[in-house]
């Protein structure tokens, strides 16, 4: 049986372009009949590594980061960019900017049973569409149980110091190798693709890989 092509994706669950980039990649994989021929690994990245554990009010945080009045403009641009990918944002519900370290721990735990992509999708939906606080322990436990994971096992993973240190180490490694923005894709261990690229760009990436393989 042919081995699956590995795609490592460095991203954050509060990054709207990561949500869009995931959908665009999935469209491209589907268009080329590659959906079942790739093995995706999710690697952590925190856009706001200094965010307090309890998170912050999103409007205040973004006003401070980008300037008053810019938030709505950014949201409109993101919503327009997302349209063709089938992604929707429910901005009025997204009221918190959370610390995402525990969310990354949950994705890593789910990945050990090959359900990392499923957890990633659930967290994107929970945050951007349902407005849930994905920095909150009880919210994350609830999301895990909704996917069929055992409650106590999820709680144990989210309070696991060793897993927390693993996430910190992976984030440090991403910075060390030069990842300064997300999403960032490493395809077949050979090609680096930065940003939420459209399906037509992915077509070129797949073609280049095919040429190199041949």
């Amino acid at each position: 049986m042919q081995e699956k092509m590995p795609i490592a994706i460095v991203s954050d669950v509060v990054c709207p372009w990561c949500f869009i980039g995931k959908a665009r990649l999935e469209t491209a994989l589907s268009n080329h009949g590659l959906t079942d021929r790739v093995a995706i690994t999710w690697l952590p990245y925190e856009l706001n590594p200094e965010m307090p554990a309890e998170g912050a009010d999103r409007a205040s945080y973004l006003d401070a980061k980008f300037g008053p009045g810019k938030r709505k403009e950014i949201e409109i641009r993101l919503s327009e960019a997302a349209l063709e990918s089938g992604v929707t944002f429910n901005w009025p519900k997204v009221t918190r900017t959370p610390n995402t370290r525990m969310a990354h721990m949950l994705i890593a735990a789910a990945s050990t049973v090959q359900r990392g992509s499923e957890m990633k999708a659930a967290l994107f939906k929970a945050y951007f569409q349902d407005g849930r606080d994905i920095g909150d322990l009880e919210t994350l436990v609830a999301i895990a149980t909704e996917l069929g994971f055992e409650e106590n096992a999820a709680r144990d993973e989210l309070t696991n110091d060793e897993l927390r240190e693993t996430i910190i180490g992976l984030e440090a490694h991403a910075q060390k190798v030069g990842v300064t923005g997300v999403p960032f894709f490493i395809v077949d261990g050979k090609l680096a693709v930065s940003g939420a690229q459209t399906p037509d760009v992915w077509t070129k990436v797949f073609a280049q890989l095919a040429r190199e393989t041949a």
Side-chain angles (χ1 to χ4, degrees), residues 12-14 53 98-110 119-127 132-159 163-164:
D12 197 359
V13 281
V14 293
N99 179 303
T100 58
R101 186 158 297 163
M102 282 197 298
H104 288 300
M105 292 167 66
L106 195 57
I107 294 162
M119 184 63 75
K120 188 82 174 188
L123 289 166
F124 274 139
K125 178 182 181 297
Y127 184 64
R132 299 167 78 175
D133 182 359
I134 59 170
D136 175 69
L137 173 64
E138 296 306 323
T139 301
L140 290 170
V141 170
I143 291 168
T145 58
E146 287 159 17
L147 289 183
F149 290 94
E150 204 277 324
E151 180 180 342
N152 289 334
R155 196 179 300 277
D156 287 347
E157 296 288 11
L158 288 166
T159 54
L163 181 55
R164 183 180 296 273

Side-chain angles (χ1 to χ4, degrees), residues 9-12 15 17-18 44-47 174-175 178-185 193-196:
I9 307 175
V10 187
S11 71
D12 197 359
C15 164
W17 285 110
C18 294
Y45 189 95
E46 291 182 57
L47 289 177
Q175 291 186 337
V179 178
T180 57
V182 288
F184 189 88
F185 307 81
V193 179
S194 181

Side-chain angles (χ1 to χ4, degrees), residues 56-128:
D57 175 76
R58 181 173 176 272
S60 300
Y61 174 75
L62 292 180
D63 284 349
K65 186 173 183 178
F66 297 113
K70 288 287 185 183
R71 178 170 55 91
K72 293 292 184 186
E73 181 183 318
I74 292 168
E75 289 173 354
I76 290 169
R77 191 165 74 246
L78 283 164
S79 293
E80 289 174 347
L83 281 175
E84 98 292 342
S85 64
V87 166
T88 57
F89 297 105
N90 191 350
W91 298 119
K93 278 196 170 185
V94 188
T95 60
R96 301 288 296 171
T97 296
N99 179 303
T100 58
R101 186 158 297 163
M102 282 197 298
H104 288 300
M105 292 167 66
L106 195 57
I107 294 162
S111 296
T112 64
V113 289
Q114 287 73 54
R115 295 183 68 189
S117 290
E118 191 179 346
M119 184 63 75
K120 188 82 174 188
L123 289 166
F124 274 139
K125 178 182 181 297
Y127 184 64
F128 285 114

Side-chain angles (χ1 to χ4, degrees), residues 16-47:
W17 285 110
C18 294
F19 194 9
I20 294 170
K22 175 180 178 293
R24 287 176 171 177
L25 171 62
E26 288 168 349
T27 296
L29 291 172
S30 177
N31 289 347
H32 292 273
L34 295 172
T35 302
D36 296 324
R37 293 168 59 191
V38 298
I40 291 176
T41 301
W42 295 98
L43 297 175
Y45 189 95
E46 291 182 57
L47 289 177

